[in-house]
Amino acid sequence: AQSVSQHNHHVILSEAASLELGCNYSYGGTVNLFWYVQYPGQHLQLLLKYFSGDPLVKGIKGFEAEFIKSKFSFNLRKPSVQWSDTAEYFCAVNEGRYNQGGKLIFGQGTELSVKP
Amino acid sequence: DAGVIQSPRHEVTEMGQEVTLRCKPISGHDYLFWYRQTMMRGLELLIYFNNNVPIDDSGMPEDRFSAKMPNASFSTLKIQPSEPRDSAVYFCASSPTRPGGYTFGSGTRLTVV
Protein backbone atom coordinates (compact mmCIF):
# COMPACT_ATOMS: atom_id res chain seq x y z
CA ALA A 1 0.00 0.00 0.00
CA GLN A 2 1.05 3.55 -0.58
CA SER A 3 2.48 5.54 2.27
CA VAL A 4 3.86 9.03 2.62
CA SER A 5 6.53 10.00 5.10
CA GLN A 6 7.36 13.52 6.17
CA HIS A 7 10.66 13.69 7.96
CA ASN A 8 10.09 16.59 10.28
CA HIS A 9 7.25 16.88 12.73
CA HIS A 10 7.95 20.47 13.76
CA VAL A 11 10.30 22.99 12.18
CA ILE A 12 11.11 26.35 13.74
CA LEU A 13 12.77 29.05 11.63
CA SER A 14 13.45 32.75 11.81
CA GLU A 15 12.08 35.06 9.16
CA ALA A 16 14.17 35.14 5.98
CA ALA A 17 15.61 31.70 6.63
CA SER A 18 15.42 29.11 3.88
CA LEU A 19 13.02 26.22 4.17
CA GLU A 20 13.15 22.64 3.01
CA LEU A 21 10.56 20.09 4.12
CA GLY A 22 11.17 16.47 3.26
CA CYS A 23 8.62 14.08 1.77
CA ASN A 24 9.12 10.49 0.66
CA TYR A 25 6.55 8.09 -0.70
CA SER A 26 6.51 4.35 -1.05
CA TYR A 27 4.68 3.66 -4.31
CA GLY A 28 6.86 2.49 -7.20
CA GLY A 29 4.56 3.26 -10.11
CA THR A 30 3.38 6.48 -11.68
CA VAL A 31 2.29 8.98 -9.06
CA ASN A 32 0.82 12.43 -8.79
CA LEU A 33 2.28 14.52 -5.99
CA PHE A 34 0.94 17.43 -3.99
CA TRP A 35 1.76 19.80 -1.20
CA TYR A 36 -1.05 21.32 0.84
CA VAL A 37 -0.92 24.00 3.51
CA GLN A 38 -3.23 24.38 6.48
CA TYR A 39 -3.15 27.72 8.29
CA PRO A 40 -4.26 27.66 11.92
CA GLY A 41 -7.96 26.92 12.18
CA GLN A 42 -8.44 26.70 8.43
CA HIS A 43 -8.91 24.03 5.79
CA LEU A 44 -6.26 22.58 3.51
CA GLN A 45 -5.25 24.62 0.48
CA LEU A 46 -3.26 23.41 -2.50
CA LEU A 47 0.27 24.86 -2.70
CA LEU A 48 1.49 23.01 -5.75
CA LYS A 49 1.18 19.79 -7.67
CA TYR A 50 3.20 17.55 -9.96
CA PHE A 51 1.81 15.23 -12.63
CA SER A 52 4.54 14.98 -15.25
CA GLY A 53 7.15 17.01 -17.09
CA ASP A 54 9.59 19.38 -15.44
CA PRO A 55 10.39 17.88 -12.02
CA LEU A 56 10.82 21.34 -10.52
CA VAL A 57 7.36 22.66 -9.77
CA LYS A 58 6.56 26.21 -8.75
CA GLY A 59 3.53 26.92 -6.60
CA ILE A 60 1.87 29.82 -4.89
CA LYS A 61 3.48 32.18 -2.38
CA GLY A 62 7.03 31.49 -3.57
CA PHE A 63 7.03 27.78 -2.78
CA GLU A 64 8.56 25.18 -5.07
CA ALA A 65 9.10 21.45 -4.95
CA GLU A 66 11.40 19.04 -6.73
CA PHE A 67 10.39 15.54 -7.74
CA ILE A 68 13.33 13.11 -7.63
CA LYS A 69 12.03 9.82 -8.92
CA SER A 70 15.12 7.82 -7.99
CA LYS A 71 14.77 8.91 -4.38
CA PHE A 72 10.95 8.71 -4.24
CA SER A 73 11.04 12.22 -2.91
CA PHE A 74 9.12 15.46 -3.37
CA ASN A 75 10.68 18.03 -1.08
CA LEU A 76 9.16 21.45 -0.56
CA ARG A 77 11.36 24.54 -0.57
CA LYS A 78 11.16 28.27 -0.09
CA PRO A 79 14.23 30.54 -0.22
CA SER A 80 13.03 33.01 2.42
CA VAL A 81 10.16 32.32 4.81
CA GLN A 82 7.85 34.90 6.32
CA TRP A 83 5.97 34.92 9.61
CA SER A 84 2.78 34.40 7.58
CA ASP A 85 4.08 31.01 6.42
CA THR A 86 3.45 29.65 9.90
CA ALA A 87 1.17 26.68 9.20
CA GLU A 88 1.06 22.94 8.85
CA TYR A 89 2.28 21.47 5.56
CA PHE A 90 1.10 18.18 4.15
CA CYS A 91 2.63 16.12 1.38
CA ALA A 92 0.20 13.87 -0.51
CA VAL A 93 0.33 11.22 -3.20
CA ASN A 94 -2.06 9.39 -5.44
CA GLU A 95 -1.47 6.77 -8.06
CA GLY A 96 -1.19 8.10 -11.59
CA ARG A 97 -3.40 5.43 -13.04
CA TYR A 98 -6.33 7.02 -11.26
CA ASN A 99 -5.58 10.20 -13.21
CA GLN A 100 -5.63 12.19 -10.02
CA GLY A 101 -9.25 11.48 -9.40
CA GLY A 102 -8.52 8.64 -7.04
CA LYS A 103 -7.76 8.68 -3.38
CA LEU A 104 -5.09 10.93 -1.98
CA ILE A 105 -2.82 9.64 0.77
CA PHE A 106 -1.40 12.26 3.12
CA GLY A 107 1.74 12.37 5.18
CA GLN A 108 1.53 13.14 8.87
CA GLY A 109 2.23 16.82 8.31
CA THR A 110 5.02 19.17 9.30
CA GLU A 111 4.26 22.09 11.54
CA LEU A 112 6.25 25.17 10.57
CA SER A 113 6.68 27.98 13.07
CA VAL A 114 8.35 31.16 11.79
CA LYS A 115 9.65 33.56 14.40
CA PRO A 116 9.43 37.28 13.56
CA ASP B 1 -17.66 29.08 -7.44
CA ALA B 2 -18.57 28.70 -3.76
CA GLY B 3 -16.16 25.83 -3.23
CA VAL B 4 -16.89 22.75 -1.13
CA ILE B 5 -19.48 23.60 1.48
CA GLN B 6 -19.72 21.74 4.74
CA SER B 7 -22.23 22.06 7.54
CA PRO B 8 -22.33 22.52 10.41
CA ARG B 9 -18.98 24.22 11.14
CA HIS B 10 -19.10 23.12 14.75
CA GLU B 11 -21.07 20.36 16.44
CA VAL B 12 -21.15 19.53 20.11
CA THR B 13 -23.15 16.48 21.07
CA GLU B 14 -23.53 14.05 23.90
CA MET B 15 -22.21 10.53 23.75
CA GLY B 16 -24.75 8.16 22.25
CA GLN B 17 -26.43 10.76 20.07
CA GLU B 18 -26.62 10.56 16.30
CA VAL B 19 -24.52 13.07 14.36
CA THR B 20 -24.92 13.95 10.68
CA LEU B 21 -22.33 15.92 8.78
CA ARG B 22 -23.15 17.38 5.39
CA CYS B 23 -21.16 18.24 2.30
CA LYS B 24 -21.89 19.91 -1.01
CA PRO B 25 -19.09 19.33 -3.52
CA ILE B 26 -18.06 21.62 -6.33
CA SER B 27 -20.36 21.28 -9.30
CA GLY B 28 -18.88 19.02 -11.96
CA HIS B 29 -16.46 17.23 -9.66
CA ASP B 30 -16.70 13.47 -10.05
CA TYR B 31 -15.06 12.47 -6.79
CA LEU B 32 -15.99 13.20 -3.19
CA PHE B 33 -13.90 12.31 -0.16
CA TRP B 34 -14.43 12.30 3.58
CA TYR B 35 -11.36 12.76 5.79
CA ARG B 36 -10.95 12.89 9.55
CA GLN B 37 -8.17 14.92 11.18
CA THR B 38 -6.91 14.38 14.71
CA MET B 39 -3.69 15.27 16.45
CA MET B 40 -2.86 11.63 17.05
CA ARG B 41 -3.66 10.16 13.63
CA GLY B 42 -3.33 13.10 11.25
CA LEU B 43 -5.50 13.09 8.12
CA GLU B 44 -7.28 9.80 7.56
CA LEU B 45 -9.32 8.98 4.48
CA LEU B 46 -12.62 7.52 5.63
CA ILE B 47 -14.44 6.90 2.36
CA TYR B 48 -14.63 8.21 -1.17
CA PHE B 49 -17.21 8.24 -3.93
CA ASN B 50 -16.93 8.38 -7.70
CA ASN B 51 -20.05 9.49 -9.57
CA ASN B 52 -22.06 9.02 -6.35
CA VAL B 53 -20.93 5.41 -5.91
CA PRO B 54 -18.81 4.45 -2.87
CA ILE B 55 -15.46 3.17 -4.12
CA ASP B 56 -13.43 2.57 -0.99
CA ASP B 57 -14.77 2.63 2.55
CA SER B 58 -11.89 0.75 4.13
CA GLY B 59 -11.06 3.77 6.25
CA MET B 60 -14.42 3.89 7.99
CA PRO B 61 -13.50 3.03 11.56
CA GLU B 62 -16.59 1.11 12.66
CA ASP B 63 -20.12 0.22 11.76
CA ARG B 64 -21.20 3.26 13.70
CA PHE B 65 -20.01 5.31 10.73
CA SER B 66 -21.95 5.46 7.48
CA ALA B 67 -21.81 7.72 4.43
CA LYS B 68 -24.17 8.32 1.57
CA MET B 69 -24.19 10.31 -1.63
CA PRO B 70 -27.75 10.35 -2.94
CA ASN B 71 -26.90 12.72 -5.79
CA ALA B 72 -23.97 14.58 -7.32
CA SER B 73 -24.45 17.65 -5.15
CA PHE B 74 -24.83 16.22 -1.66
CA SER B 75 -23.22 13.77 0.71
CA THR B 76 -23.65 12.92 4.38
CA LEU B 77 -21.46 11.26 6.98
CA LYS B 78 -23.40 9.84 9.89
CA ILE B 79 -22.16 8.59 13.24
CA GLN B 80 -24.61 6.61 15.32
CA PRO B 81 -24.11 6.31 18.25
CA SER B 82 -21.36 8.89 18.72
CA GLU B 83 -18.52 8.40 21.20
CA PRO B 84 -15.98 10.84 22.70
CA ARG B 85 -13.17 9.28 20.61
CA ASP B 86 -15.01 10.44 17.48
CA SER B 87 -14.13 14.02 18.37
CA ALA B 88 -12.15 15.40 15.43
CA VAL B 89 -12.34 17.74 12.48
CA TYR B 90 -14.09 16.09 9.54
CA PHE B 91 -13.21 17.40 6.10
CA CYS B 92 -15.00 16.84 2.85
CA ALA B 93 -13.11 17.29 -0.42
CA SER B 94 -14.03 17.01 -4.06
CA SER B 95 -12.00 16.50 -7.19
CA PRO B 96 -12.47 16.35 -10.93
CA THR B 97 -11.30 13.29 -12.82
CA ARG B 98 -8.94 15.39 -14.93
CA PRO B 99 -5.71 16.48 -13.18
CA GLY B 100 -6.35 19.41 -10.90
CA GLY B 101 -6.10 18.76 -7.22
CA TYR B 102 -8.56 18.31 -4.46
CA THR B 103 -10.57 21.20 -3.04
CA PHE B 104 -11.31 20.91 0.65
CA GLY B 105 -14.23 22.27 2.58
CA SER B 106 -13.77 24.26 5.77
CA GLY B 107 -14.44 21.21 7.90
CA THR B 108 -16.78 20.32 10.74
CA ARG B 109 -15.30 20.33 14.22
CA LEU B 110 -17.08 17.60 16.13
CA THR B 111 -16.92 17.39 19.90
CA VAL B 112 -18.59 14.46 21.63
CA VAL B 113 -18.92 14.89 25.39
Side-chain angles (χ1 to χ4, degrees), chain A residues 27-64:
Chain A
Y27 185 68
T30 302
V31 293
N32 302 310
L33 299 157
F34 306 83
W35 275 96
Y36 282 83
V37 60
Q38 186 177 29
Y39 297 103
Q42 297 189 25
H43 61 286
L44 279 79
Q45 302 172 44
L46 182 65
L47 267 182
L48 48 79
K49 57 185 181 281
Y50 172 82
F51 299 117
S52 63
D54 188 345
L56 185 61
V57 179
K58 295 197 182 296
I60 61 172
K61 305 187 180 186
F63 286 91
E64 65 178 31

Coordinates of all heavy atoms in Angstrom, one line a residue, chain A residues 27-64:
Chain A
Y27 N 5.2 4.3 -3.1 CA 4.7 3.7 -4.3 C 5.7 3.7 -5.5 O 6.3 4.7 -5.7 CB 3.4 4.3 -4.7 CG 2.7 3.7 -5.9 CD1 2.1 2.4 -5.7 CD2 2.6 4.3 -7.1 CE1 1.5 1.7 -6.7 CE2 1.9 3.6 -8.1 CZ 1.4 2.4 -8.0 OH 0.8 1.7 -9.0
G28 N 5.9 2.6 -6.2 CA 6.9 2.5 -7.2 C 6.4 2.8 -8.6 O 7.2 2.9 -9.5
G29 N 5.1 3.0 -8.8 CA 4.6 3.3 -10.1 C 4.4 4.7 -10.4 O 5.0 5.6 -9.7
T30 N 3.6 5.1 -11.4 CA 3.4 6.5 -11.7 C 2.5 7.1 -10.6 O 1.5 6.6 -10.2 CB 2.6 6.6 -13.0 OG1 3.4 5.9 -14.0 CG2 2.4 8.0 -13.4
V31 N 3.0 8.3 -10.1 CA 2.3 9.0 -9.1 C 2.0 10.4 -9.4 O 2.7 11.0 -10.2 CB 3.1 8.9 -7.7 CG1 3.1 7.5 -7.2 CG2 4.5 9.5 -7.9
N32 N 1.1 11.0 -8.8 CA 0.8 12.4 -8.8 C 1.1 12.9 -7.4 O 0.8 12.3 -6.4 CB -0.6 12.7 -9.2 CG -1.0 12.2 -10.5 OD1 -0.3 12.4 -11.5 ND2 -2.1 11.5 -10.6
L33 N 1.8 14.1 -7.3 CA 2.3 14.5 -6.0 C 1.8 15.9 -5.7 O 1.7 16.8 -6.6 CB 3.8 14.5 -6.0 CG 4.4 13.1 -6.3 CD1 5.8 13.3 -6.8 CD2 4.5 12.4 -5.0
F34 N 1.5 16.2 -4.4 CA 0.9 17.4 -4.0 C 1.5 17.9 -2.7 O 2.0 17.1 -1.8 CB -0.6 17.3 -3.8 CG -1.3 16.6 -4.9 CD1 -1.3 15.3 -5.1 CD2 -2.0 17.4 -5.8 CE1 -2.0 14.7 -6.2 CE2 -2.7 16.9 -6.9 CZ -2.7 15.5 -7.1
W35 N 1.5 19.2 -2.5 CA 1.8 19.8 -1.2 C 0.6 20.7 -0.9 O 0.1 21.5 -1.7 CB 3.0 20.6 -1.2 CG 4.3 19.9 -0.9 CD1 5.2 19.4 -1.8 CD2 4.8 19.5 0.4 NE1 6.2 18.7 -1.2 CE2 6.0 18.8 0.2 CE3 4.4 19.7 1.7 CZ2 6.7 18.2 1.2 CZ3 5.1 19.1 2.7 CH2 6.3 18.4 2.5
Y36 N 0.0 20.5 0.3 CA -1.0 21.3 0.8 C -0.6 22.1 2.1 O 0.3 21.6 2.8 CB -2.3 20.5 1.2 CG -3.1 20.0 0.1 CD1 -2.7 18.9 -0.7 CD2 -4.2 20.7 -0.3 CE1 -3.5 18.4 -1.8 CE2 -5.0 20.2 -1.4 CZ -4.6 19.1 -2.1 OH -5.4 18.7 -3.2
V37 N -1.2 23.2 2.3 CA -0.9 24.0 3.5 C -2.2 24.2 4.3 O -3.3 24.4 3.7 CB -0.3 25.4 3.1 CG1 -1.2 26.2 2.3 CG2 0.1 26.1 4.4
Q38 N -2.1 24.1 5.6 CA -3.2 24.4 6.5 C -2.9 25.4 7.5 O -2.1 25.2 8.4 CB -3.7 23.1 7.2 CG -4.9 23.2 8.0 CD -5.4 21.9 8.6 OE1 -4.6 21.0 8.9 NE2 -6.7 21.8 8.8
Y39 N -3.4 26.6 7.3 CA -3.2 27.7 8.3 C -4.0 27.4 9.5 O -5.0 26.8 9.5 CB -3.5 29.1 7.7 CG -2.6 29.4 6.5 CD1 -3.0 29.2 5.2 CD2 -1.3 29.8 6.7 CE1 -2.2 29.5 4.1 CE2 -0.4 30.0 5.6 CZ -0.9 29.9 4.3 OH -0.1 30.1 3.3
P40 N -3.6 28.0 10.7 CA -4.3 27.7 11.9 C -5.8 27.9 11.8 O -6.2 28.9 11.4 CB -3.6 28.6 12.9 CG -2.2 28.8 12.4 CD -2.4 28.8 10.9
G41 N -6.5 26.8 12.2 CA -8.0 26.9 12.2 C -8.6 26.9 10.8 O -9.8 27.1 10.7
Q42 N -7.9 26.7 9.8 CA -8.4 26.7 8.4 C -8.4 25.3 7.8 O -7.8 24.4 8.3 CB -7.7 27.8 7.6 CG -7.9 29.2 8.1 CD -7.4 30.2 7.1 OE1 -7.3 30.0 5.9 NE2 -7.0 31.4 7.6
H43 N -8.9 25.3 6.5 CA -8.9 24.0 5.8 C -7.6 23.9 4.9 O -6.9 24.9 4.9 CB -10.1 23.9 4.9 CG -10.2 25.0 3.9 ND1 -10.6 26.3 4.2 CD2 -10.0 25.0 2.5 CE1 -10.6 27.1 3.1 NE2 -10.2 26.3 2.1
L44 N -7.4 22.8 4.3 CA -6.3 22.6 3.5 C -6.4 23.3 2.2 O -7.4 23.3 1.6 CB -6.1 21.1 3.2 CG -5.4 20.3 4.3 CD1 -6.4 20.0 5.4 CD2 -4.8 19.0 3.8
Q45 N -5.3 23.9 1.8 CA -5.3 24.6 0.5 C -4.1 24.1 -0.3 O -3.0 23.8 0.2 CB -5.0 26.1 0.7 CG -6.1 26.8 1.5 CD -5.7 28.2 1.9 OE1 -5.3 28.9 1.0 NE2 -6.0 28.6 3.1
L46 N -4.3 23.9 -1.6 CA -3.3 23.4 -2.5 C -2.1 24.4 -2.7 O -2.4 25.6 -3.1 CB -3.9 23.0 -3.8 CG -3.0 22.4 -4.9 CD1 -2.5 21.1 -4.4 CD2 -3.7 22.3 -6.2
L47 N -0.9 24.0 -2.5 CA 0.3 24.9 -2.7 C 0.8 24.6 -4.1 O 1.1 25.6 -4.8 CB 1.4 24.5 -1.7 CG 1.5 25.3 -0.4 CD1 2.7 24.8 0.4 CD2 1.6 26.8 -0.6
L48 N 1.0 23.4 -4.4 CA 1.5 23.0 -5.7 C 1.3 21.5 -6.0 O 0.9 20.8 -5.1 CB 3.0 23.3 -5.9 CG 3.9 22.9 -4.7 CD1 4.3 21.4 -4.9 CD2 5.2 23.7 -4.7
K49 N 1.4 21.2 -7.3 CA 1.2 19.8 -7.7 C 2.1 19.4 -8.8 O 2.6 20.3 -9.6 CB -0.3 19.6 -8.1 CG -0.7 20.5 -9.3 CD -2.2 20.3 -9.5 CE -2.7 21.2 -10.7 NZ -2.8 22.6 -10.3
Y50 N 2.4 18.1 -8.9 CA 3.2 17.6 -10.0 C 2.5 16.4 -10.6 O 2.1 15.4 -9.9 CB 4.6 17.1 -9.4 CG 5.4 16.4 -10.5 CD1 6.1 17.1 -11.5 CD2 5.4 15.0 -10.5 CE1 6.8 16.4 -12.5 CE2 6.1 14.3 -11.5 CZ 6.8 15.0 -12.5 OH 7.4 14.3 -13.5
F51 N 2.4 16.4 -11.9 CA 1.8 15.2 -12.6 C 2.8 14.6 -13.6 O 3.0 13.4 -13.6 CB 0.6 15.6 -13.4 CG -0.5 16.2 -12.6 CD1 -1.0 17.5 -12.7 CD2 -1.1 15.4 -11.6 CE1 -2.0 17.9 -11.9 CE2 -2.1 15.9 -10.8 CZ -2.6 17.2 -11.0
S52 N 3.5 15.5 -14.3 CA 4.5 15.0 -15.3 C 5.3 16.2 -15.7 O 5.0 17.3 -15.4 CB 3.9 14.3 -16.4 OG 3.1 15.2 -17.2
G53 N 6.4 15.9 -16.5 CA 7.1 17.0 -17.1 C 8.3 17.5 -16.2 O 8.9 16.7 -15.5
D54 N 8.5 18.8 -16.2 CA 9.6 19.4 -15.4 C 9.5 19.0 -14.0 O 8.4 19.3 -13.3 CB 9.5 20.9 -15.6 CG 10.7 21.6 -15.0 OD1 11.5 21.0 -14.2 OD2 10.9 22.8 -15.3
P55 N 10.5 18.3 -13.4 CA 10.4 17.9 -12.0 C 10.4 19.0 -11.0 O 10.2 18.8 -9.8 CB 11.6 16.9 -11.9 CG 12.6 17.4 -12.9 CD 11.7 17.9 -14.0
L56 N 10.8 20.2 -11.4 CA 10.8 21.3 -10.5 C 9.5 22.1 -10.7 O 9.3 22.7 -11.8 CB 12.0 22.2 -10.8 CG 12.2 23.4 -9.8 CD1 12.4 22.9 -8.4 CD2 13.4 24.3 -10.3
V57 N 8.7 22.1 -9.7 CA 7.4 22.7 -9.8 C 7.3 23.9 -8.9 O 7.7 23.9 -7.8 CB 6.3 21.7 -9.3 CG1 4.9 22.2 -9.3 CG2 6.4 20.3 -10.0
K58 N 6.7 25.0 -9.5 CA 6.6 26.2 -8.8 C 5.1 26.3 -8.4 O 4.2 26.1 -9.2 CB 7.0 27.4 -9.6 CG 8.5 27.3 -9.9 CD 9.0 28.7 -10.3 CE 10.5 28.6 -10.7 NZ 11.3 28.2 -9.4
G59 N 4.9 26.8 -7.1 CA 3.5 26.9 -6.6 C 3.3 28.4 -6.2 O 4.0 29.3 -6.6
I60 N 2.2 28.5 -5.3 CA 1.9 29.8 -4.9 C 2.8 30.3 -3.8 O 3.5 29.4 -3.1 CB 0.4 29.8 -4.4 CG1 0.2 28.9 -3.3 CG2 -0.5 29.5 -5.6 CD1 -1.2 29.0 -2.6
K61 N 2.8 31.6 -3.5 CA 3.5 32.2 -2.4 C 5.0 31.9 -2.3 O 5.6 31.8 -1.3 CB 2.8 31.7 -1.1 CG 1.3 32.0 -1.0 CD 0.7 31.7 0.3 CE -0.8 32.0 0.2 NZ -1.5 31.9 1.6
G62 N 5.6 31.7 -3.5 CA 7.0 31.5 -3.6 C 7.5 30.1 -3.3 O 8.7 29.9 -3.2
F63 N 6.6 29.2 -3.1 CA 7.0 27.8 -2.8 C 7.4 27.0 -4.1 O 6.8 27.3 -5.1 CB 5.9 27.0 -2.0 CG 5.8 27.4 -0.6 CD1 4.9 28.5 -0.2 CD2 6.5 26.8 0.4 CE1 4.8 28.9 1.1 CE2 6.4 27.2 1.7 CZ 5.5 28.2 2.1
E64 N 8.3 26.1 -4.0 CA 8.6 25.2 -5.1 C 8.9 23.8 -4.5 O 9.1 23.6 -3.3 CB 9.7 25.7 -5.9 CG 11.1 25.7 -5.2 CD 12.2 26.2 -6.1 OE1 12.0 27.0 -7.0 OE2 13.3 25.8 -5.8

